[in-house]
Amino acid sequence: MVQYYNRLDASFGALADATRRGVLVQLAQADASISDLANTFRMTLTGMKKHVSILEDVGLITTTKVGRVRTCRLGARAFDDEAKWLESYRQLWAARFDALDSVLEELKAKDQNSERQKR
Amino acid sequence: MVQYYNRLDASFGALADATRRGVLVQLAQADASISDLANTFRMTLTGMKKHVSILEDVGLITTTKVGRVRTCRLGARAFDDEAKWLESYRQLWAARFDALDSVLEELKAKDQNSERQKR
DNA sequence: GTAATACTGAACCATATGGTTTCTTATACA
DNA sequence: TGTATAAGAAACCATATGGTTCAGTATTAC
């Protein structure tokens, strides 16, 4: 179906889940093992493993295994590209309404003109 | 399964699709009917209607129907909450690495001390 | 009045998602 | 050496997602 032409799909997708957002926030406090995370979010190890893999795939976290425990930590990139997209969209959005504003200004000016002419 | 406790789930979900991001960008240029959008994105009317409904549900666009055509336009809210989440996460993230930085600084200082003592 | 247009709803389809259980493997610990 | 622990792989399950086709309704155009 949708092949991920766009990496944004994957990373916004990663964000669209409360558990995964929670994991990111927890990892910002301290590194954690998969068991730790599974425990925090009341979920099986296997279930948490999947979330961790997703976050790792999009590069938001990294993991290393030493002995039998795999430790998860925040990845090198935050949401740079994603924030950039949001920001540029917000500018487009603002521009759109600025344009509307200037139309309204214009109309208002014309209106005042006609008011003046009436007098 | 996941009931949307969190509105962020829905709006990040809305963002996690290239077509919907495209629709938002197109609407930032000019209002458009559902047919227009379906045409731009090479999709059936029905398919596009679904995307439009999703975007409307999360409040990113509004639509009004006059006669037989429904016109879509940007909604009143941009991605305020979403941008806010991203930003506060980015701060957490930065803080995490600042902390690491200061640990490194400290280690470096200690190292230089021991170097000095060796001499 | 008839035909074309624009949308809407329902049913359907394939694949994705978020979770589970069950079984294996590797490591740590007594 | 034997047992508990941490993780991983595989199969499975229910529901969600992104799309389609097909049929119906309302509106516009000729």
Side-chain angles (χ1 to χ4, degrees), chain A residues 39-72:
Chain A
N39 201 43
T40 305
F41 294 93
R42 311 296 181 92
M43 183 176 299
T44 54
L45 248 179
T46 316
M48 180 51 71
K49 174 75 189 340
K50 288 193 184 183
H51 285 303
V52 164
S53 300
I54 290 172
L55 289 171
E56 195 173 11
D57 285 348
V58 297
L60 291 168
I61 71 175
T62 63
T63 72
T64 46
K65 187 164 184 176
V66 27
R68 57 184 171 179
V69 18
R70 179 174 295 281
T71 301
C72 310

Side-chain angles (χ1 to χ4, degrees), chain B:
Chain B
M1 198 189 313
V2 180
Q3 306 96 309
Y4 282 175
Y5 303 108
N6 202 321
R7 217 173 52 99
L8 285 179
D9 286 30
S11 45
F12 279 129
L15 262 175
D17 181 282
T19 302
R20 286 192 294 265
R21 289 196 305 277
V23 166
L24 290 176
V25 170
Q26 173 166 352
L27 290 182
Q29 318 302 144
D31 296 350
S33 70
I34 300 196
S35 307
D36 291 341
L37 295 170
N39 201 42
T40 305
F41 295 93
R42 310 297 181 91
M43 183 177 298
T44 54
L45 248 179
T46 314
M48 181 51 71
K49 175 75 189 340
K50 288 193 182 180
H51 286 301
V52 164
S53 299
I54 289 172
L55 289 170
E56 195 172 12
D57 285 349
V58 297
L60 290 168
I61 71 174
T62 64
T63 71
T64 45
K65 188 164 183 175
V66 28
R68 59 185 167 176
V69 18
R70 179 174 294 280
T71 301
C72 309
R73 55 181 58 82
L74 291 189
R77 80 183 193 89
F79 290 104
D80 311 294
D81 294 351
E82 296 70 27
K84 212 172 291 169
W85 192 93
L86 269 197
E87 199 39 53
S88 63
Y89 171 74
R90 283 155 67 80
Q91 281 173 17
L92 275 182
W93 186 87
R96 179 88 174 113
F97 286 96
D98 284 354
L100 183 61
D101 277 353
S102 53
V103 168
L104 290 178
E105 289 295 312
E106 207 173 315
L107 284 177
K108 208 162 138 194
K110 273 184 195 158
D111 191 48
Q112 282 170 353
N113 272 343
S114 56
E115 284 298 310
R116 220 172 289 133
Q117 285 173 351
K118 273 193 217 159
R119 272 178 235 148

Side-chain angles (χ1 to χ4, degrees), chain A residues 85-106:
Chain A
W85 193 93
L86 269 197
E87 199 38 55
S88 63
Y89 171 75
R90 283 156 68 80
Q91 281 174 15
L92 274 181
W93 185 88
R96 179 89 174 113
F97 286 96
D98 284 354
L100 183 61
D101 278 353
S102 54
V103 169
L104 290 177
E105 288 295 312
E106 207 174 316

